[in-house]
Amino acid sequence: MFDRLESVEGRYEELNELLSDPEVVSDTKRLMKLTKEEAAIRETVATYRRYKEVEQDISDTEDMLGEKLDSEMAEMAKEELNDLKKEKTEIEEKMKVLMLPKDENDDRNIIMEIRGAAGGDEAQLFAGTLFNMYQKYADAQGWKTEVLDANITGIGGYKEITLMITGDNVYSKLKYENGAHRVQRVPSTESQGRIHTSTATVVVMPEAEEVELDLPDKDIRTDIYHASGAGGQHVNKTASAVRLTHLPTGIAVAMQDERSQIKNREKAMKVLRARVYDHIQQAAQSEYDAERKSAIGTGDRSERIRTYNYPQSRVTDHRIGLTIQKLDQILSGKLDEIIDALVLNEQTAKMEQLQHEE
């Protein structure tokens, strides 16, 4: 591990020199790539440098204890030595985590799609509940949420809603939300108090920057049509709705939320770029998992990942067997306990995988 840390520190120093090079500064694509690489290893290098300082302090303190000291000074030195050894152990554990293989998308913004699935009106209402939960969680993290498109039902739920969440390391925390979310509750329309089970699906995609994923115009078919549904007088009078189709993959995005065709195209392009990038990533991950015969990460998109049980005020994450009796808090956006447990689970799995390979 220490050889790798020395290598990372050397690369960090090299990156800082490159980032002050006028040729690099003038090359936007290269500058962005190197800036992200520097940011990704900054904490690792700072931790390793602190580790080396602590090691030196331990050595100096042990040398001091080897000299003739009065009892008070000796006692102080022993206390300092104990504190330093404790800090050294803590830093070693932190470095192990920092040196685990990183998900290259962790620092990205995301595009999230939430859809009502099995359960009709109740599933669509639950999609709205999940949207509110993620919006409150994003607010608590200091992130910004923007609704890109929404298909609202007459009863206040969502057939589907697409939103963009921007901020620091958004994907690193919300990537675990991929999958089917199940709700068990008594619908307001249920006269006999029977519990219904419904599901909503959540897809989390890392945002892809234009400089990272080039989608040539020749690969995109653009269809313009009249918007439908709510929207006032412009509906069916102005051809403002846009559908973009990426011909190589067949992935299509339709957007009609804005009155402006230009704005709808901009939003549709953001979502299309994210879907195509996600498609490429998913294909690469499937191939990688097949080669290694094991998958560490967020699991199959169709997998039922979590159950929200209203009568028992219980939330269960099925991937790690975690059950929390705090339904109201979780739905109000307090997701840290679940997400922290999922992060720890993934880190543990990666450590075990590395030990097995060694």
Side-chain angles (χ1 to χ4, degrees):
M1 182 175 78
F2 291 101
D3 288 342
R4 284 162 57 212
L5 283 162
E6 281 290 334
S7 176
V8 170
E9 186 179 29
R11 176 59 178 164
Y12 182 77
E13 289 169 356
E14 182 186 357
L15 284 168
N16 278 290
E17 288 178 18
L18 286 168
L19 289 169
S20 59
D21 185 329
E23 279 189 28
V24 173
V25 174
S26 64
D27 184 342
T28 306
K29 194 170 182 178
R30 192 179 178 204
L31 179 65
M32 180 181 286
K33 184 180 177 184
L34 294 177
T35 300
K36 287 180 75 172
E37 186 184 351
E38 184 272 339
I41 62 175
R42 191 184 302 146
E43 185 182 5
T44 303
V45 172
T47 305
Y48 179 48
R49 285 175 174 172
R50 177 57 191 157
Y51 177 83
K52 289 193 287 188
E53 286 174 5
V54 169
E55 273 211 313
Q56 185 60 53
D57 289 346
I58 288 172
S59 177
D60 292 345
T61 308
E62 285 175 338
D63 288 346
M64 190 190 303
L65 282 167
E67 299 170 4
K68 289 184 178 180
L69 299 172
D70 62 51
S71 59
E72 189 177 341
M73 283 291 290
E75 193 59 39
M76 285 174 64
K78 283 177 185 176
E79 280 184 26
E80 186 178 349
L81 186 60
N82 285 336
D83 290 343
L84 287 167
K85 286 182 175 178
K86 184 181 175 185
E87 186 181 356
K88 180 184 175 184
T89 302
E90 289 170 354
I91 295 174
E92 283 173 342
E93 291 305 309
K94 185 178 180 181
M95 286 192 304
K96 284 178 189 175
V97 172
L98 288 169
M99 290 302 288
L100 289 173
K102 296 255 189 333
D103 186 329
E104 63 178 298
N105 296 315
D106 275 354
D107 62 345
R108 292 178 187 264
N109 301 323
I110 67 158
I111 287 174
M112 176 183 279
E113 298 176 340
I114 306 170
R115 293 182 176 85
D121 288 348
E122 183 63 13
Q124 291 161 9
L125 284 169
F126 182 52
T129 301
L130 290 176
F131 165 61
N132 290 330
M133 177 181 78
Y134 292 126
Q135 193 170 41
K136 288 171 183 173
Y137 178 69
D139 288 345
Q141 298 294 313
W143 299 336
K144 181 186 172 188
T145 305
E146 177 191 1
V147 175
L148 299 179
D149 195 35
N151 188 340
I152 305 170
T153 64
I155 58 169
Y158 293 95
K159 286 184 180 176
E160 60 183 280
I161 181 167
T162 304
L163 55 145
M164 184 167 186
I165 303 178
T166 56
D168 293 335
N169 300 308
V170 180
Y171 187 78
S172 71
K173 294 188 175 181
L174 288 180
K175 63 183 175 181
Y176 303 102
E177 299 306 297
N178 264 321
H181 295 243
R182 181 175 70 168
V183 62
Q184 294 171 327
R185 63 184 176 188
V186 179
S188 56
T189 54
E190 172 57 61
S191 58
Q192 298 183 31
R194 288 175 298 190
I195 296 171
H196 285 224
T197 298
S198 310
T199 56
T201 60
V202 176
V203 174
V204 177
M205 298 173 290
E207 182 193 18
E209 298 288 346
E210 194 171 346
V211 294
E212 296 170 311
L213 182 66
D214 181 35
L215 299 183
D217 290 342
K218 66 181 178 62
D219 287 349
I220 298 172
R221 187 180 75 231
T222 303
D223 299 306
I224 308 297
Y225 58 101
H226 292 285
S228 60
Q233 292 184 345
H234 83 291
V235 173
N236 296 325
K237 290 189 176 182
T238 308
S240 59
V242 175
R243 181 185 297 108
L244 301 180
T245 305
H246 184 243
L247 299 173
T249 60
I251 293 170
V253 176
M255 198 69 64
Q256 63 173 38
D257 211 44
E258 299 283 349
R259 291 173 181 245
S260 158
Q261 184 188 122
I262 294 171
K263 286 184 178 177
N264 279 328
R265 194 181 194 285
E266 283 175 1
K267 285 186 173 183
M269 198 66 201
K270 275 185 181 179
V271 178
L272 182 67
R273 191 175 284 111
R275 285 188 186 173
V276 172
Y277 181 78
D278 186 60
H279 173 81
I280 294 166
Q281 295 266 304
Q282 291 289 317
Q285 185 65 41
S286 297
E287 186 179 332
Y288 179 73
D289 291 343
E291 283 177 9
R292 288 169 61 122
K293 308 295 183 198
S294 71
I296 297 170
T298 54
D300 192 328
R301 288 273 169 83
S302 62
E303 176 190 4
R304 187 188 72 208
I305 64 165
R306 197 174 297 149
T307 295
Y308 305 75
N309 184 294
Y310 275 65
Q312 297 175 21
S313 188
R314 166 175 59 81
V315 177
T316 299
D317 195 289
H318 303 290
R319 293 163 295 181
I320 54 176
L322 175 68
T323 295
I324 302 173
Q325 305 288 151
K326 299 175 184 176
L327 177 68
D328 289 348
Q329 289 184 37
I330 286 161
L331 293 179
S332 70
K334 294 176 180 175
L335 286 167
D336 286 325
E337 191 171 346
I338 293 177
I339 289 173
D340 289 348
L342 288 163
V343 169
L344 181 60
N345 180 69
E346 183 177 6
Q347 289 173 348
T348 303
K350 283 181 176 178
M351 279 186 181
E352 289 173 354
Q353 185 75 36
L354 285 174
Q355 287 168 358
H356 176 72
E357 288 174 357
E358 288 169 1

